[in-house]
Amino acid sequence: MGFRSDLLICTTLECETKEEMLAAIHRAKEEGANLVELCIDSMSFSHISEVEGLLRQRTLPSIVSFRSNFRRGRGCSSKKTGLQVLRLAVELDVEFVRVEFEMAKEEVITELMSRRSNSKIIISNYINNGGGGGTLCKEKLGNIAILLQSTGADVIQLVVDVAYITDVAPLFHLLAHSQVPLIVRAVGDRGLISQLLGPKYGAIVVWGSLGDKPVLGLPPLRSIAQVYNLEFINPDTKVFGVISNPVGHSKGPLLHNPAFRHTGYNGIYVPLLVDNIKEFFRVYSSSDFAGFSVGIPHKEAAVGCCDEVDPFAKSIGAVNTIIRRPTDGKLIGYNTDCHACITAIEEALRERQIINGQASHTSPIAGKLFVLIGAGGAGRAMAFGAKSKGARVVIFNRNFERAKALASAVSGEALPYECLDTYCAEKGMILANASAVGMQPNADQTPVPKEALKSYELVFDAVYTPRNTRLLQEAAEIGAIVVSGVEMFIRQALGQFKLFTGGLAPEDFMRKTVLEKF
């Protein structure tokens, strides 16, 4: 993979004083930015000389902007002041001067172009996508770009409000076919991939957020260099990602991206906040979108999106991995959750058996009562896995009909969710939590009270954020064997990575990465 030294990593700075701006520039530099946008409209200044002092003392290449519609009860927002600031920036040879299309009358652009010696003029337009949903077509975007280009500016910028992740696709098309330097940004949490995948389509600037100021749709500055290594992304990079909603909790990018670099595989793994999985696959149908992890709540719906499904995944009725087959572009579904969960539980039980001198060749799950919380995609994988090892399966789920349907499929039993706290059919049971109870930001919650855990020999929690959930802490306190969702995560991710790369999976490296970063 070739290194791109020309990629600019930028962050927007809004500060009230010159001193705060200079301190923010210093922080941005520390976090990996090599360009900052100085929003002068956010500053309170009584004289333009304060802005001049800032521009002369800045320690990073900059974009100077003055947003005419900026309102926050402070700052000066007049167009006259804005023009004064932009003229000053040009006179001081600031690298980029951004002009909004609304205020970019021909004479403004012409004047700035005639005054500048080294500054590049950016013409920028904000597009409200009217609720999204694919209303912003490639043709409309192309026409807006041509209009901006006709101003004679050096660089054009489009900031687009998106409602769905599928609204970002036309921006990639525009980036790849633009004849002039183009900056694009999709605003909102579903627009994140506009930055992470932008360099693949020729983006010259990628935006990130400062550590203490997270912005929806922008990756943290530190993650651009430390997690995603965007300077190595090129047109041949294969795209992988986790399809989920919500997706912010996923640790997949922290594991798969370093593993790609470790093996020299030209891939990137990104969070994909997807509302409609079928529509996602319809829009992102290119062979470059090569493989996917599937998370909550899409694991069951994903089965219907696949052209072929692995027989065991089909019997489960849920897939957590989809590969686009390189030979014909067909989507093939797999389930690596089942094997990951069951082997993690088996190994923990075998370790206890060895300590007690009870080693056996049969599965230590065989004959045991396997109490499962949750009947979604992960729950289905666990139920079928436990059944295949000879366990007796009992299912609790808030939606009792779903619990009954899954119990029927594995010849198990479904019980009302309200009975979970007092359930004690026998001693030495296995408890597996496949629900989201206890996941950040609700880490203080637990699906089963501590008192009720005394009947269980082993407690497993599929939740891995936090790593040591309240359920696991309380299970350990009463002496049960505990198995963390992190262990399942490592195992299912290894299975996925092998499918993504055609067999390449650095197990020791991936395990070490998870244990260090989680």
Side-chain angles (χ1 to χ4, degrees):
M1 292 188 281
F3 176 80
R4 272 189 66 181
S5 58
D6 62 333
L7 185 66
L8 296 171
I9 311 298
C10 186
T11 193
T12 299
L13 302 181
E14 296 175 354
C15 303
E16 195 164 352
T17 67
K18 180 185 91 170
E19 290 69 32
E20 287 170 354
M21 274 288 196
L22 290 171
I25 292 171
H26 180 71
R27 281 202 311 278
K29 194 174 187 176
E30 282 185 336
E31 292 184 22
N34 53 16
L35 179 70
V36 287
E37 178 175 7
L38 307 175
C39 298
I40 306 300
D41 48 77
S42 67
M43 292 175 66
S44 290
F45 56 91
S46 52
H47 195 269
I48 194 75
S49 60
E50 294 173 56
V51 179
E52 182 175 349
L54 167 66
L55 299 184
R56 289 190 186 279
Q57 291 172 49
R58 68 203 161 86
T59 52
L60 272 181
S62 305
I63 300 171
V64 167
S65 66
F66 195 98
R67 299 161 299 181
S68 58
N69 61 350
F70 186 82
R71 291 280 185 273
R72 202 177 273 175
R74 58 180 173 79
C76 185
S77 300
S78 75
K79 286 194 175 181
K80 184 181 172 189
T81 308
L83 277 173
Q84 201 179 1
V85 166
L86 300 180
R87 285 179 189 130
L88 175 66
V90 158
E91 284 163 16
L92 294 178
D93 276 346
V94 173
E95 290 76 15
F96 297 96
V97 177
R98 183 169 80 82
V99 186
E100 293 175 325
F101 185 60
E102 295 79 35
M103 70 176 289
K105 291 178 181 165
E106 203 171 302
E107 62 267 22
V108 174
I109 293 282
T110 308
E111 181 197 341
L112 293 175
M113 298 285 255
S114 64
R115 282 174 179 255
R116 61 99 177 257
S117 50
N118 293 310
S119 299
K120 293 267 194 298
I121 307 299
I122 301 171
I123 184 81
S124 174
N125 195 26
Y126 172 78
I127 301 161
N128 187 331
N129 194 12
T135 56
L136 196 69
C137 61
K138 287 186 284 196
E139 291 74 18
K140 184 179 174 185
L141 266 179
N143 290 335
I144 294 170
I146 290 166
L147 184 63
L148 296 183
Q149 203 177 324
S150 69
T151 62
D154 303 294
V155 182
I156 62 176
Q157 178 179 23
L158 288 173
V159 181
V160 184
D161 201 0
V162 297
Y164 302 105
I165 196 168
T166 44
D167 297 333
V168 182
L171 292 174
F172 292 146
H173 183 269
L174 192 64
L175 260 178
H177 294 90
S178 178
Q179 302 301 307
V180 295
L182 170 65
I183 300 170
V184 297
R185 236 189 89 186
V187 179
D189 50 3
R190 284 146 178 85
L192 178 63
I193 60 168
S194 70
Q195 301 311 298
L196 296 181
L197 301 183
K200 176 176 170 60
Y201 299 97
I204 54 171
V205 181
V206 168
W207 249 259
S209 60
L210 264 180
D212 58 344
K213 291 187 178 175
V215 179
L216 281 181
L218 290 186
L221 277 176
R222 289 192 193 281
S223 74
I224 291 174
Q226 295 173 8
V227 177
Y228 297 103
N229 282 81
L230 296 187
E231 64 273 21
F232 289 99
I233 305 306
N234 59 41
D236 297 325
T237 301
K238 293 293 183 190
V239 177
F240 302 87
V242 52
I243 293 171
S244 190
N245 188 357
V247 76
H249 67 281
S250 174
K251 303 283 197 212
L254 294 176
L255 176 60
H256 288 290
N257 287 301
F260 282 142
R261 290 194 295 280
H262 182 77
T263 55
Y265 187 92
N266 187 6
I268 183 171
Y269 184 99
V270 298
L272 300 164
L273 181 52
V274 172
D275 298 282
N276 183 327
I277 188 170
K278 217 173 197 76
E279 183 66 4
F280 173 84
F281 282 121
R282 186 191 70 77
V283 171
Y284 294 101
S285 57
S286 150
S287 61
D288 280 356
F289 284 77
F292 309 90
S293 310
V294 184
I296 296 169
H298 298 303
K299 293 185 189 218
E300 291 163 86
V303 175
C305 298
C306 296
D307 298 296
E308 295 174 24
V309 179
D310 172 76
F312 190 60
K314 197 171 210 165
S315 69
I316 294 171
V319 303
N320 77 320
T321 312
I322 296 176
I323 304 299
R324 194 182 301 280
R325 193 159 54 198
T327 50
D328 57 11
K330 290 223 158 64
L331 296 174
I332 318 299
Y334 300 89
N335 193 306
T336 66
D337 278 339
C338 178
H339 182 262
C341 161
I342 298 303
T343 57
I345 291 172
E346 282 181 323
E347 280 188 25
L349 286 168
R350 281 200 179 101
E351 280 177 26
R352 175 71 64 93
Q353 284 182 344
I354 289 166
I355 292 167
N356 296 336
Q358 305 168 325
S360 161
H361 292 299
T362 60
S363 170
I365 294 174
K368 286 197 174 284
L369 202 54
F370 191 95
V371 179
L372 175 66
I373 308 168
R380 291 188 70 84
M382 291 180 206
F384 276 85
K387 164 74 174 170
S388 73
K389 297 292 185 174
R392 296 167 288 139
V393 182
V394 176
I395 299 157
F396 292 89
N397 190 62
R398 289 190 193 279
N399 182 325
F400 189 48
E401 294 307 312
R402 290 195 75 177
K404 286 199 290 188
L406 179 54
S408 171
V410 294
S411 306
E413 184 183 4
L415 292 172
Y417 195 78
E418 306 74 53
C419 302
L420 177 59
D421 291 0
T422 55
Y423 184 71
C424 181
E426 59 188 62
K427 293 287 182 186
M429 300 183 292
I430 295 170
L431 177 68
N433 176 37
S435 76
V437 177
M439 183 190 287
Q440 286 172 348
N442 302 310
D444 59 328
Q445 296 179 3
T446 179
V448 181
K450 185 175 179 179
E451 190 60 31
L453 295 174
K454 291 178 179 172
S455 306
Y456 296 97
E457 180 183 4
L458 179 144
V459 175
F460 166 81
D461 197 343
V463 171
Y464 64 86
T465 53
R467 181 166 160 182
N468 192 18
T469 61
R470 180 180 163 190
L471 174 64
L472 293 183
Q473 289 170 35
E474 293 181 348
E477 285 165 13
I478 57 100
I481 304 167
V482 295
V483 180
S484 164
V486 170
E487 186 57 39
M488 176 182 172
F489 177 80
I490 292 170
R491 290 166 186 247
Q492 63 82 26
L494 276 166
Q496 289 187 333
F497 200 83
K498 286 173 185 169
L499 290 166
F500 290 162
T501 60
L504 201 64
E507 182 166 352
D508 291 345
F509 174 82
M510 289 175 78
R511 185 171 285 279
K512 183 169 176 278
T513 299
V514 168
L515 296 176
E516 281 176 0
K517 293 191 176 179
F518 284 31

